[in-house]
Amino acid sequence: QLQLVESGGDLVQPGGSLRLSCAASGFHFYYATMSWFRQAPGKEREGVACIRRSGTGVYLAYYSDSVKGRFTISRDNAESTVYLQMNSLKPQDTAVYYCAHESGPACDYRPDYWGQGTQVTVSS
């Protein structure tokens, strides 16, 4: 019954911003490592952001080089929701974006469950 439902994908102009949401259910979200992937046509699915709980209880975020400084991953444990704030969007960011539940505690982009994805199109 683990479920991930993405929302927020849209058509946006270059330089614009968008916030994706992922509503999670069916597992203990508080302890889960969550990530965002994207896949453009003809390309491999790539991990772009990940957030995990450290041993001290602090949540740590990681990003791919292609989105670092532009995207921010965050989570609301009370709402069991993970977000991806996307700023300064480029046409190269156009892809289907997937929310994912990581199979372990590390941000190693080895998910065991995916959402169905939400389309982000960056174009003028």
Side-chain angles (χ1 to χ4, degrees), residues 22-123:
C22 172
S25 62
F27 62 97
H28 295 108
F29 184 82
Y30 183 85
Y31 300 101
T33 298
M34 304 295 295
S35 57
W36 286 94
F37 287 71
R38 68 184 182 185
Q39 187 168 27
K43 291 194 172 184
E44 297 292 321
R45 190 172 299 187
E46 62 169 338
V48 297
C50 182
I51 186 164
R52 69 176 182 90
R53 186 177 185 270
S54 75
T56 63
V58 176
Y59 287 90
L60 305 175
Y62 304 85
Y63 304 94
S64 68
D65 289 340
S66 61
V67 308
K68 195 171 299 180
R70 300 187 298 119
F71 291 10
T72 303
I73 188 171
S74 62
R75 63 197 293 161
D76 185 338
N77 289 333
E79 298 293 332
S80 295
T81 302
V82 61
Y83 303 96
L84 186 67
Q85 178 66 46
M86 310 163 69
N87 299 325
S88 301
L89 283 162
K90 306 174 180 179
Q92 305 96 289
D93 296 319
T94 296
V96 177
Y97 283 72
Y98 299 89
C99 179
H101 175 274
E102 290 289 324
S103 60
C107 276
D108 54 7
Y109 297 109
R110 296 202 298 150
D112 55 9
Y113 193 84
W114 308 84
Q116 292 190 328
T118 185
Q119 176 70 49
V120 173
T121 302
V122 184
S123 176

